[in-house]
Amino acid sequence: MKIAITATGPDLDATVDPRFGRCPYFLVIETDDGSFEAVENPNLALGGGAGIQSAQLMAGKGVTQVLTGNCGPNAYQTLSAAGIAISIGCSGPVRDVIEQFKGGQFSSITQPNVAGHFGMGAAAAEPAEQAAGVAPDFAAGMGRGAGRGMGGGRGMGGGRGRGMGRGAGRGRGGGMGRGMGPGAGGGFGGVQDTGGQPPDELAALRQQAEVMAQQMQQIQQRIQQLQQEQTDG
């Protein structure tokens, strides 16, 4: 069976990259004999369509299962149309994920778990964040991006995703502060006030919360792994 795992590097000691369309590498692994091919992702910096292009790339490699952290709607549709199953929530070293897959620990999803364009702006992540195994798009959302607030309550900094907050005008995030006026854009909100908010906005915020929870879990796992490596060393 041929599977593909999104990875931060070209070998089995690399960690799983939580993005599908914009991961640096795909490790295409033949589970029967353990052989693998490291495929550098040419769609990493695409402004749009990275999920579709990456899915087509994997279909061309004869992959039957993709293991990654998250999967957006375009990638999901393209992979599903090609008959490729998708498992999400994968994290840690690729080598460990392979064994977990063989042990039947992953199930296939029936719908995408993140919005389109998830993971854009990863090139802005600092090398230290990458070395720590922090998802670059998640790190970029922690107070560096610009955006607008929406709804009631106070927002936290700028970044990716949908924000909340009071106040008019634009501004750039960086720490605690008021949100940046009505509209969609960056900044993860603080206290939610759903009064008057359309249902799709509420669903989008819940989706962002789920993604953040997954990414925080990945960060905690990486921290524990590094601590264990220091102890063993």
Side-chain angles (χ1 to χ4, degrees), residues 114-184:
V114 292
H117 303 294
F118 176 80
M120 287 186 67
E126 298 295 336
E129 292 160 352
Q130 296 174 335
V134 179
D137 52 277
F138 177 70
M142 297 176 65
R144 284 209 298 269
R148 300 184 183 181
M150 176 174 286
R154 293 178 180 269
M156 288 183 61
R160 297 196 175 277
R162 291 184 178 270
M164 296 187 298
R166 296 189 184 278
R170 296 172 180 264
R172 290 191 173 271
M176 295 291 293
R178 288 185 178 273
M180 292 167 273

Side-chain angles (χ1 to χ4, degrees), residues 83-110:
I84 300 175
I86 309 145
S87 296
I88 60 172
C90 305
S91 63
V94 170
R95 193 181 299 277
D96 293 348
V97 171
I98 296 172
E99 295 305 315
Q100 292 167 6
F101 172 75
K102 290 180 178 179
Q105 297 186 30
F106 298 114
S107 57
S108 300
I109 60 173
T110 57

